[in-house]
Amino acid sequence: MQVTAVSARPRPKTGAGSKAPTLRHERSFAAVGYKVLAGCDEVGRGALAGPVSVGLVAVDLATVRSLKGVRDSKLLCQSDRETLAPQIKKWARGWGVGHASAAEIDLHGIMGALRLAGTRAWDRVCADLTPDVVLLDGNYNWLSPARQASLFDLPGNDDGGCQAPVHTKIKADMTCLSVAAASVLAKVERDTMMVDYAVTHPQYGWEVNKGYATASHRLAIDEFGPTPLHRMSWQLGTRPEADARDHESVVGG
């Protein structure tokens, strides 16, 4: 009997050796008249503690050039992200990072908190310039206000936040340079916050796990209880909680 060898599926490359995101998709928006595009991504969505954070990086579609070394933040080591962050800020026409706290996540739910953090990032970008369009990682537009402005609305009669058209793209953080850059800025700011929080809450290992649901983090919650920086609406420890609403897993930025 002839045996056919089956080759193992190659593992995806990560870090500096992975396929670099490009500006190809961003530039397609210039063909329909857009001039300034903002790439957008979030980090911290699946954590048990700390904020959810949203990055926005605006680029001029007529003049933007590639930026070497940028990848989705999850594919880069900490030192590479910290090296790239100031380069991204100089490269971009505008940038902003917004955060929504654990308490705000509990109050508004994860989608409402993402919109809140995204609005804060949007407002920071708009202090310098207003993007014509947004490219958002994923398949759901959580950035736009719950009610988009209408042509019949009176001036100022809107919910605030991003009023530009938002286009979603699955895995945009892997393929689109502006979105990957946004993920790096958001990741660096959020990680810095978690390291700072770890100084006053050393039991939970936040300087290492950054608030995500590692086994040691859950065990620490069992032993010491949650802090005000934990998301009380999540299932936090290892013991089941009857009223917990653990909407998100550890998978995320």
Side-chain angles (χ1 to χ4, degrees):
M1 180 176 67
Q2 184 177 4
V3 178
T4 302
V6 179
S7 59
R9 180 180 296 179
R11 298 179 63 184
K13 292 181 179 180
T14 60
S18 61
K19 187 175 180 181
T22 70
L23 292 162
R24 180 178 179 181
H25 190 66
E26 285 94 329
R27 286 181 173 136
S28 70
F29 288 89
V32 292
Y34 293 117
K35 295 181 179 180
V36 178
L37 175 144
C40 183
D41 199 11
E42 56 78 20
V43 299
R45 179 172 178 166
L48 302 181
V52 65
S53 304
V54 173
L56 272 166
V57 168
V59 296
D60 186 324
L61 294 173
T63 61
V64 66
R65 297 293 181 264
S66 187
L67 182 60
K68 185 177 179 180
V70 176
R71 302 289 190 276
D72 171 28
S73 62
K74 296 186 291 296
L75 302 183
L76 297 169
C77 67
Q78 177 181 340
S79 61
D80 285 344
R81 291 192 296 266
E82 292 177 349
T83 298
L84 284 167
Q87 297 177 28
I88 291 169
K89 293 174 183 179
K90 291 180 181 179
W91 171 79
R93 277 291 309 277
W95 63 274
V97 178
H99 310 278
S101 68
E104 289 171 326
I105 293 170
D106 291 335
L107 179 63
H108 300 292
I110 188 63
M111 291 302 172
L114 282 167
R115 183 172 294 115
L116 183 59
T119 295
R120 289 166 177 164
W122 173 262
D123 289 344
R124 182 168 178 179
V125 171
C126 290
D128 299 319
L129 79 169
T130 302
D132 302 314
V133 64
V134 176
L135 178 57
L136 176 63
D137 179 58
N139 61 0
Y140 177 73
N141 175 15
W142 43 258
L143 179 62
S144 296
R147 184 185 67 85
Q148 287 280 11
S150 164
L151 291 174
F152 303 101
D153 283 342
L154 296 174
N157 184 24
D158 59 55
D159 295 332
C162 175
Q163 297 293 339
V166 175
H167 294 258
T168 59
K169 181 175 173 61
I170 295 173
K171 295 190 182 300
D173 53 358
M174 303 285 288
T175 58
C176 301
L177 183 57
S178 66
V179 180
S183 77
V184 171
L185 295 189
K187 176 73 171 165
V188 169
E189 279 207 17
R190 185 182 185 279
D191 281 2
T192 299
M193 294 171 71
M194 296 310 298
V195 171
D196 290 343
Y197 293 150
V199 174
T200 52
H201 299 84
Q203 310 96 313
Y204 304 95
W206 290 339
E207 73 281 5
V208 177
N209 63 49
K210 305 304 188 291
Y212 283 96
T214 63
S216 60
H217 188 186
R218 288 192 184 276
L219 287 170
I221 296 168
D222 285 346
E223 182 175 357
F224 301 105
T227 71
L229 294 170
H230 281 99
R231 303 172 185 180
M232 301 302 182
S233 54
W234 260 230
Q235 182 177 326
L236 295 176
T238 62
R239 295 185 291 270
E241 300 173 28
D243 296 326
R245 294 172 292 163
D246 190 5
H247 298 300
E248 302 297 333
S249 70
V250 69
V251 177

